[in-house]
Amino acid sequence: MRDKSAINYGYSDSPARRMGKAIIKFFTALITILLVLVIAICTTIWVLAKGPSPTAQRLFVMSVRETSAVGFLANIFLSEAEIERIIGVPESDAVQYETDTSLITVAAARPVVPISSNDAEVEDVEIEDTAPLDDDIEESGDGLELVEVNGNGYKGFMLIVSDPLRVFVGTPVNFGGAGVKLMDMIRRTEAVAGINAGGFYDPDGTGSGGIPDGLVICDGELKWGAGGGTVNVIGFDADGILHVGSMTSTAAMNLGLQWAVSFGPTLISNGVAQDKELVRSGINPRTAIGQRADGAVLLLVVDGRQIHSLGATYEDLIEIMLDFGAVNAANLDGGSSTLMIIDEEFVNSCASVSGPRTIPTAFLVR
Protein backbone atom coordinates (compact mmCIF):
# COMPACT_ATOMS: atom_id res chain seq x y z
CA MET A 1 0.00 0.00 0.00
CA ARG A 2 1.37 3.40 -0.98
CA ASP A 3 2.12 6.02 1.64
CA LYS A 4 -0.36 8.85 0.96
CA SER A 5 2.05 11.38 2.39
CA ALA A 6 4.41 10.61 -0.43
CA ILE A 7 1.85 11.07 -3.17
CA ASN A 8 2.36 14.31 -5.17
CA TYR A 9 -1.01 15.85 -5.92
CA GLY A 10 0.50 18.70 -7.95
CA TYR A 11 0.60 21.06 -4.97
CA SER A 12 3.88 22.63 -3.97
CA ASP A 13 4.24 25.20 -1.17
CA SER A 14 6.93 27.12 -3.03
CA PRO A 15 8.77 30.21 -1.62
CA ALA A 16 6.77 32.45 -3.96
CA ARG A 17 3.51 30.98 -2.71
CA ARG A 18 4.57 31.41 0.90
CA MET A 19 5.52 35.02 0.16
CA GLY A 20 2.11 35.58 -1.39
CA LYS A 21 0.38 34.21 1.68
CA ALA A 22 2.47 36.44 3.93
CA ILE A 23 1.63 39.52 1.87
CA ILE A 24 -2.09 38.67 1.95
CA LYS A 25 -1.98 38.18 5.72
CA PHE A 26 -0.10 41.48 6.17
CA PHE A 27 -2.57 43.53 4.15
CA THR A 28 -5.52 41.78 5.74
CA ALA A 29 -4.18 42.68 9.18
CA LEU A 30 -3.40 46.24 8.05
CA ILE A 31 -6.88 46.74 6.61
CA THR A 32 -8.40 45.34 9.79
CA ILE A 33 -6.37 47.68 11.95
CA LEU A 34 -7.26 50.68 9.77
CA LEU A 35 -10.91 49.71 9.84
CA VAL A 36 -10.86 49.47 13.62
CA LEU A 37 -9.15 52.87 13.84
CA VAL A 38 -11.68 54.47 11.50
CA ILE A 39 -14.54 53.00 13.52
CA ALA A 40 -12.91 54.20 16.77
CA ILE A 41 -12.34 57.69 15.38
CA CYS A 42 -15.87 57.94 13.99
CA THR A 43 -17.28 56.70 17.28
CA THR A 44 -15.24 59.28 19.20
CA ILE A 45 -16.36 62.06 16.85
CA TRP A 46 -19.99 60.91 17.21
CA VAL A 47 -19.75 60.89 21.01
CA LEU A 48 -18.22 64.38 21.03
CA ALA A 49 -20.61 65.78 18.43
CA LYS A 50 -23.83 64.10 19.54
CA GLY A 51 -23.07 62.95 23.07
CA PRO A 52 -24.65 64.08 26.33
CA SER A 53 -22.05 66.74 27.23
CA PRO A 54 -22.81 70.19 25.77
CA THR A 55 -19.39 71.44 26.95
CA ALA A 56 -17.50 68.67 25.16
CA GLN A 57 -19.66 69.18 22.09
CA ARG A 58 -18.95 72.89 21.93
CA LEU A 59 -15.21 72.45 22.53
CA PHE A 60 -14.99 69.83 19.80
CA VAL A 61 -16.95 71.82 17.23
CA MET A 62 -15.16 75.10 17.90
CA SER A 63 -11.71 73.45 17.99
CA VAL A 64 -12.05 71.79 14.59
CA ARG A 65 -13.84 74.73 12.98
CA GLU A 66 -10.94 76.97 13.95
CA THR A 67 -8.65 74.68 11.94
CA SER A 68 -8.62 75.03 8.16
CA ALA A 69 -7.43 71.49 7.44
CA VAL A 70 -9.89 69.50 9.59
CA GLY A 71 -12.85 71.84 9.88
CA PHE A 72 -14.95 69.33 7.92
CA LEU A 73 -14.95 66.92 10.90
CA ALA A 74 -17.70 68.93 12.55
CA ASN A 75 -19.96 68.30 9.53
CA ILE A 76 -19.73 64.51 9.63
CA PHE A 77 -22.55 64.14 12.16
CA LEU A 78 -23.82 67.73 12.45
CA SER A 79 -25.68 69.98 10.03
CA GLU A 80 -24.66 73.59 9.45
CA ALA A 81 -27.74 74.70 11.39
CA GLU A 82 -26.69 72.58 14.38
CA ILE A 83 -23.13 73.91 14.16
CA GLU A 84 -24.34 77.52 14.11
CA ARG A 85 -26.50 76.81 17.16
CA ILE A 86 -23.55 75.29 19.03
CA ILE A 87 -21.11 78.06 18.13
CA GLY A 88 -23.66 80.73 18.97
CA VAL A 89 -22.80 84.43 18.88
CA PRO A 90 -19.92 85.25 16.50
CA GLU A 91 -16.72 86.44 18.10
CA SER A 92 -16.28 90.15 18.68
CA ASP A 93 -15.45 91.20 15.11
CA ALA A 94 -18.10 93.90 15.12
CA VAL A 95 -17.35 95.31 18.57
CA GLN A 96 -15.74 98.74 18.36
CA TYR A 97 -12.81 99.63 20.59
CA GLU A 98 -10.83 102.80 21.13
CA THR A 99 -7.49 102.38 22.85
CA ASP A 100 -6.94 104.82 25.70
CA THR A 101 -3.31 105.78 25.13
CA SER A 102 -3.16 107.56 28.50
CA LEU A 103 -3.09 104.14 30.19
CA ILE A 104 0.30 103.36 28.63
CA THR A 105 3.48 105.19 29.63
CA VAL A 106 6.40 104.07 27.51
CA ALA A 107 9.70 104.48 29.31
CA ALA A 108 12.41 106.47 27.55
CA ALA A 109 13.89 104.13 24.98
CA ARG A 110 17.29 104.16 23.36
CA PRO A 111 17.38 105.22 19.68
CA VAL A 112 16.84 102.40 17.23
CA VAL A 113 17.84 102.12 13.60
CA PRO A 114 14.74 101.65 11.42
CA ILE A 115 14.64 98.24 9.77
CA SER A 116 12.51 97.71 6.69
CA SER A 117 10.57 94.47 6.64
CA ASN A 118 10.92 94.39 2.86
CA ASP A 119 14.68 94.20 2.39
CA ALA A 120 16.16 92.31 -0.52
CA GLU A 121 14.65 88.87 -0.94
CA VAL A 122 16.63 85.86 0.20
CA GLU A 123 16.26 82.24 -0.73
CA ASP A 124 13.98 80.08 1.39
CA VAL A 125 16.30 78.28 3.78
CA GLU A 126 15.58 74.87 5.23
CA ILE A 127 16.02 75.08 8.99
CA GLU A 128 16.56 71.99 11.09
CA ASP A 129 14.71 71.75 14.39
CA THR A 130 16.84 72.84 17.30
CA ALA A 131 16.54 72.10 20.98
CA PRO A 132 14.20 74.41 22.91
CA LEU A 133 15.67 77.12 25.06
CA ASP A 134 15.87 76.70 28.81
CA ASP A 135 12.48 76.59 30.52
CA ASP A 136 12.95 79.91 32.26
CA ILE A 137 15.42 82.46 30.92
CA GLU A 138 16.03 85.40 33.19
CA GLU A 139 16.33 88.88 31.77
CA SER A 140 19.85 89.19 30.43
CA GLY A 141 20.13 92.97 30.25
CA ASP A 142 19.15 93.15 26.58
CA GLY A 143 15.56 94.09 27.36
CA LEU A 144 14.17 90.61 26.68
CA GLU A 145 12.82 88.09 29.17
CA LEU A 146 11.43 84.66 28.37
CA VAL A 147 9.08 83.03 30.87
CA GLU A 148 7.53 79.57 30.69
CA VAL A 149 3.75 79.53 31.08
CA ASN A 150 1.84 76.51 32.37
CA GLY A 151 -1.87 75.98 32.82
CA ASN A 152 -4.58 73.34 32.86
CA GLY A 153 -3.78 71.24 29.79
CA TYR A 154 -1.39 73.64 28.12
CA LYS A 155 2.20 74.87 28.12
CA GLY A 156 3.56 78.00 26.49
CA PHE A 157 6.11 80.80 26.55
CA MET A 158 5.87 84.54 27.13
CA LEU A 159 8.54 86.82 25.68
CA ILE A 160 8.58 90.23 27.38
CA VAL A 161 10.10 93.05 25.30
CA SER A 162 10.74 96.07 27.50
CA ASP A 163 11.06 98.57 24.60
CA PRO A 164 7.97 98.52 22.34
CA LEU A 165 9.79 100.49 19.63
CA ARG A 166 11.85 97.37 18.95
CA VAL A 167 8.75 95.53 17.71
CA PHE A 168 7.92 95.71 14.01
CA VAL A 169 6.10 93.71 11.32
CA GLY A 170 7.95 91.39 8.97
CA THR A 171 6.47 90.42 5.60
CA PRO A 172 7.41 88.74 2.32
CA VAL A 173 8.90 91.00 -0.35
CA ASN A 174 5.54 90.95 -2.13
CA PHE A 175 2.06 89.77 -1.24
CA GLY A 176 -0.07 87.59 -3.48
CA GLY A 177 2.43 84.76 -4.01
CA ALA A 178 3.96 82.56 -1.36
CA GLY A 179 4.56 83.61 2.22
CA VAL A 180 7.84 83.39 4.09
CA LYS A 181 8.86 81.21 7.02
CA LEU A 182 9.38 83.00 10.31
CA MET A 183 13.06 82.04 10.43
CA ASP A 184 13.66 83.60 7.03
CA MET A 185 11.97 86.86 8.09
CA ILE A 186 14.15 86.98 11.19
CA ARG A 187 17.35 86.35 9.24
CA ARG A 188 16.55 88.82 6.47
CA THR A 189 15.78 91.68 8.86
CA GLU A 190 18.48 90.70 11.38
CA ALA A 191 15.86 90.51 14.11
CA VAL A 192 16.65 88.72 17.38
CA ALA A 193 13.21 87.19 17.91
CA GLY A 194 9.77 86.87 16.43
CA ILE A 195 6.34 85.26 16.45
CA ASN A 196 3.79 84.67 13.70
CA ALA A 197 1.19 87.42 13.43
CA GLY A 198 -1.81 87.97 11.13
CA GLY A 199 -4.08 85.51 9.37
CA PHE A 200 -4.06 84.55 5.71
CA TYR A 201 -6.12 82.90 2.99
CA ASP A 202 -5.84 79.19 3.78
CA PRO A 203 -8.48 77.03 2.06
CA ASP A 204 -8.53 73.53 3.60
CA GLY A 205 -5.14 74.21 5.18
CA THR A 206 -3.39 74.36 1.80
CA GLY A 207 -2.70 78.11 1.57
CA SER A 208 0.83 79.27 0.77
CA GLY A 209 0.69 82.14 3.25
CA GLY A 210 1.06 84.95 0.74
CA ILE A 211 -2.42 86.49 0.87
CA PRO A 212 -3.12 88.24 4.20
CA ASP A 213 -6.52 88.54 5.81
CA GLY A 214 -7.52 92.10 6.64
CA LEU A 215 -4.82 94.76 6.48
CA VAL A 216 -1.05 95.06 6.82
CA ILE A 217 0.74 98.30 7.72
CA CYS A 218 4.55 98.59 7.55
CA ASP A 219 6.58 101.73 8.26
CA GLY A 220 3.34 103.71 8.34
CA GLU A 221 2.30 102.57 4.84
CA LEU A 222 -0.78 100.51 4.08
CA LYS A 223 0.69 97.51 2.28
CA TRP A 224 -2.48 95.41 2.08
CA GLY A 225 -6.21 95.82 2.68
CA ALA A 226 -7.23 99.18 1.25
CA GLY A 227 -10.93 98.23 1.19
CA GLY A 228 -13.49 100.06 3.25
CA GLY A 229 -14.56 97.11 5.39
CA THR A 230 -14.11 96.85 9.14
CA VAL A 231 -11.53 94.34 10.38
CA ASN A 232 -9.79 93.47 13.63
CA VAL A 233 -6.58 95.47 13.82
CA ILE A 234 -3.55 94.88 16.05
CA GLY A 235 -0.80 97.45 15.67
CA PHE A 236 1.65 99.96 17.13
CA ASP A 237 1.68 103.70 16.65
CA ALA A 238 4.80 105.88 16.41
CA ASP A 239 5.01 106.09 20.22
CA GLY A 240 5.09 102.32 20.58
CA ILE A 241 1.55 102.07 21.96
CA LEU A 242 -0.40 98.95 20.98
CA HIS A 243 -3.87 99.53 19.55
CA VAL A 244 -6.37 96.67 19.36
CA GLY A 245 -9.90 96.74 18.03
CA SER A 246 -12.21 96.63 15.05
CA MET A 247 -11.77 99.43 12.52
CA THR A 248 -11.38 100.30 8.85
CA SER A 249 -8.02 100.74 7.15
CA THR A 250 -8.72 104.49 6.95
CA ALA A 251 -9.26 104.65 10.71
CA ALA A 252 -6.08 102.67 11.30
CA MET A 253 -4.07 105.08 9.17
CA ASN A 254 -5.69 108.07 10.88
CA LEU A 255 -4.51 106.66 14.23
CA GLY A 256 -0.97 106.84 12.89
CA LEU A 257 -0.33 103.11 13.15
CA GLN A 258 3.17 102.25 11.95
CA TRP A 259 3.09 98.46 12.20
CA ALA A 260 -0.18 96.52 12.11
CA VAL A 261 -1.84 93.25 11.09
CA SER A 262 -5.32 91.79 11.29
CA PHE A 263 -6.69 88.96 13.35
CA GLY A 264 -8.56 88.66 16.62
CA PRO A 265 -10.56 88.71 18.68
CA THR A 266 -9.56 91.48 21.05
CA LEU A 267 -8.89 89.88 24.44
CA ILE A 268 -8.33 92.88 26.71
CA SER A 269 -9.14 96.52 25.99
CA ASN A 270 -8.08 99.37 28.29
CA GLY A 271 -7.55 96.97 31.16
CA VAL A 272 -10.94 95.28 30.82
CA ALA A 273 -11.17 91.63 29.80
CA GLN A 274 -13.48 90.81 26.93
CA ASP A 275 -16.90 89.34 27.75
CA LYS A 276 -16.52 85.56 27.87
CA GLU A 277 -19.64 85.09 25.73
CA LEU A 278 -17.96 87.01 22.90
CA VAL A 279 -14.68 85.07 22.99
CA ARG A 280 -15.85 81.48 23.22
CA SER A 281 -13.43 79.18 21.46
CA GLY A 282 -12.07 75.69 21.13
CA ILE A 283 -8.72 74.32 22.30
CA ASN A 284 -5.85 74.93 19.88
CA PRO A 285 -2.28 76.20 19.61
CA ARG A 286 -2.38 79.97 20.18
CA THR A 287 -0.36 83.10 19.53
CA ALA A 288 -1.20 86.43 21.17
CA ILE A 289 0.22 89.88 21.79
CA GLY A 290 -0.31 92.37 24.59
CA GLN A 291 1.14 95.45 26.28
CA ARG A 292 1.65 96.41 29.93
CA ALA A 293 1.11 99.87 31.40
CA ASP A 294 4.88 100.50 31.27
CA GLY A 295 4.86 99.87 27.52
CA ALA A 296 6.51 96.45 27.65
CA VAL A 297 5.23 94.17 24.88
CA LEU A 298 4.01 90.66 25.72
CA LEU A 299 4.51 88.04 22.98
CA LEU A 300 2.80 84.75 23.82
CA VAL A 301 2.76 81.31 22.20
CA VAL A 302 0.91 78.28 23.59
CA ASP A 303 1.62 74.79 22.28
CA GLY A 304 -1.27 72.62 21.14
CA ARG A 305 -2.07 69.23 19.60
CA GLN A 306 0.85 67.81 21.57
CA ILE A 307 1.01 65.18 24.29
CA HIS A 308 2.45 67.75 26.70
CA SER A 309 0.01 70.49 25.69
CA LEU A 310 -3.45 70.11 24.14
CA GLY A 311 -3.87 73.82 23.55
CA ALA A 312 -5.60 76.86 25.02
CA THR A 313 -8.87 78.74 24.69
CA TYR A 314 -9.32 82.49 24.34
CA GLU A 315 -10.28 82.57 28.00
CA ASP A 316 -6.92 80.97 28.84
CA LEU A 317 -5.14 83.68 26.85
CA ILE A 318 -7.04 86.40 28.72
CA GLU A 319 -6.08 84.87 32.05
CA ILE A 320 -2.41 84.63 31.05
CA MET A 321 -2.30 88.20 29.73
CA LEU A 322 -3.96 89.58 32.86
CA ASP A 323 -1.47 87.67 35.02
CA PHE A 324 1.34 89.41 33.13
CA GLY A 325 -0.25 92.84 33.58
CA ALA A 326 -1.60 93.41 30.06
CA VAL A 327 -3.68 96.56 29.57
CA ASN A 328 -4.45 95.68 25.95
CA ALA A 329 -4.16 92.30 24.24
CA ALA A 330 -5.37 90.47 21.16
CA ASN A 331 -5.33 86.99 19.72
CA LEU A 332 -3.15 86.39 16.65
CA ASP A 333 -3.21 83.58 14.09
CA GLY A 334 -2.75 80.22 15.80
CA GLY A 335 -2.99 76.54 14.96
CA SER A 336 -0.17 75.19 12.82
CA SER A 337 1.18 78.73 12.35
CA THR A 338 1.93 79.26 16.06
CA LEU A 339 5.69 79.67 16.45
CA MET A 340 8.26 81.63 18.46
CA ILE A 341 11.95 81.89 17.55
CA ILE A 342 14.68 83.57 19.61
CA ASP A 343 18.31 83.80 18.50
CA GLU A 344 17.51 81.38 15.65
CA GLU A 345 16.26 78.72 18.08
CA PHE A 346 12.74 77.31 18.10
CA VAL A 347 11.20 78.06 21.49
CA ASN A 348 7.94 76.12 21.22
CA SER A 349 6.81 72.99 19.38
CA CYS A 350 5.33 73.63 15.95
CA ALA A 351 1.97 71.86 15.53
CA SER A 352 2.36 71.44 11.77
CA VAL A 353 3.44 67.92 10.79
CA SER A 354 5.34 69.37 7.83
CA GLY A 355 7.28 71.89 9.92
CA PRO A 356 7.00 75.70 10.16
CA ARG A 357 4.51 77.18 7.70
CA THR A 358 5.01 80.05 5.30
CA ILE A 359 3.19 83.11 6.61
CA PRO A 360 2.43 86.68 5.43
CA THR A 361 3.30 88.60 8.59
CA ALA A 362 5.23 88.30 11.84
CA PHE A 363 5.87 90.51 14.83
CA LEU A 364 9.66 90.75 15.04
CA VAL A 365 12.04 92.26 17.59
CA ARG A 366 14.97 94.42 16.47
Side-chain angles (χ1 to χ4, degrees):
M1 190 173 183
R2 296 179 62 185
D3 184 358
K4 291 183 179 180
S5 64
I7 298 176
N8 185 352
Y9 291 96
Y11 172 79
S12 175
D13 195 11
S14 65
R17 194 176 186 88
R18 289 196 299 271
M19 178 64 73
K21 286 182 177 180
I23 292 174
I24 291 173
K25 288 182 179 179
F26 171 78
F27 280 105
T28 301
L30 181 61
I31 291 172
T32 302
I33 292 171
L34 291 177
L35 183 60
V36 171
L37 286 175
V38 169
I39 293 173
I41 292 172
C42 289
T43 301
T44 302
I45 293 175
W46 185 90
V47 170
L48 292 172
K50 308 289 283 189
S53 172
T55 301
Q57 181 187 56
R58 187 177 67 195
L59 278 176
F60 166 72
V61 171
M62 300 192 79
S63 295
V64 298
R65 286 303 287 260
E66 290 171 352
T67 307
S68 300
V70 297
F72 67 91
L73 292 178
N75 297 88
I76 294 178
F77 297 110
L78 295 170
S79 66
E80 278 299 323
E82 289 175 307
I83 291 173
E84 289 179 6
R85 175 184 59 78
I86 293 167
I87 293 177
V89 180
E91 62 187 36
S92 55
D93 289 342
V95 179
Q96 300 293 322
Y97 300 92
E98 183 176 348
T99 299
D100 184 353
T101 58
S102 68
L103 299 177
I104 309 295
T105 302
V106 178
R110 61 182 182 278
V112 294
V113 179
I115 299 177
S116 172
S117 63
N118 293 312
D119 290 341
E121 185 173 9
V122 297
E123 295 182 359
D124 189 29
V125 182
E126 291 296 329
I127 306 298
E128 296 182 357
D129 288 343
T130 57
L133 299 179
D134 292 338
D135 288 343
D136 190 356
I137 297 180
E138 299 297 334
E139 189 167 358
S140 59
D142 62 356
L144 302 180
E145 182 182 3
L146 183 66
V147 181
E148 183 177 304
V149 176
N150 291 286
N152 185 19
Y154 66 82
K155 174 183 176 181
F157 295 90
M158 179 75 80
L159 178 62
I160 305 171
V161 184
S162 60
D163 181 1
L165 295 179
R166 295 177 64 183
V167 179
F168 66 105
V169 172
T171 69
V173 174
N174 296 297
F175 291 124
V180 178
K181 291 181 180 180
L182 178 58
M183 183 70 81
D184 295 331
M185 289 189 189
I186 288 174
R187 287 182 166 180
R188 189 177 68 233
T189 59
E190 298 183 354
V192 296
I195 60 172
N196 65 294
F200 56 93
Y201 179 63
D202 190 27
D204 300 322
T206 61
S208 62
I211 303 177
D213 282 340
L215 59 75
V216 178
I217 299 174
C218 293
D219 276 330
E221 295 183 16
L222 184 64
K223 299 292 186 180
W224 186 268
T230 299
V231 295
N232 274 324
V233 176
I234 304 120
F236 293 88
D237 63 22
D239 296 320
I241 296 177
L242 177 65
H243 294 251
V244 295
S246 184
M247 65 189 78
T248 64
S249 57
T250 299
M253 295 302 293
N254 289 340
L255 282 174
L257 297 189
Q258 301 297 300
W259 308 98
V261 301
S262 287
F263 210 68
T266 295
L267 302 173
I268 303 170
S269 178
N270 300 325
V272 179
Q274 178 58 267
D275 187 335
K276 292 181 179 180
E277 286 301 308
L278 294 178
V279 291
R280 292 186 297 171
S281 73
I283 299 174
N284 275 302
R286 302 289 182 188
T287 306
I289 187 170
Q291 187 171 44
R292 300 189 316 208
D294 63 357
V297 177
L298 307 171
L299 304 178
L300 173 67
V301 292
V302 176
D303 281 342
R305 305 169 195 165
Q306 311 280 335
I307 294 177
H308 70 276
S309 180
L310 296 178
T313 65
Y314 293 155
E315 288 185 47
D316 293 327
L317 299 186
I318 290 174
E319 182 179 342
I320 295 169
M321 284 293 181
L322 289 175
D323 286 345
F324 278 82
V327 175
N328 295 294
N331 178 61
L332 296 171
D333 191 15
S336 55
S337 297
T338 289
L339 190 63
M340 177 184 288
I341 296 176
I342 302 175
D343 291 333
E344 298 195 7
E345 292 188 10
F346 293 94
V347 176
N348 68 306
S349 301
C350 179
S352 173
V353 294
S354 59
R357 298 195 68 182
T358 51
I359 55 178
T361 55
F363 277 116
L364 306 178
V365 182
R366 307 184 198 279

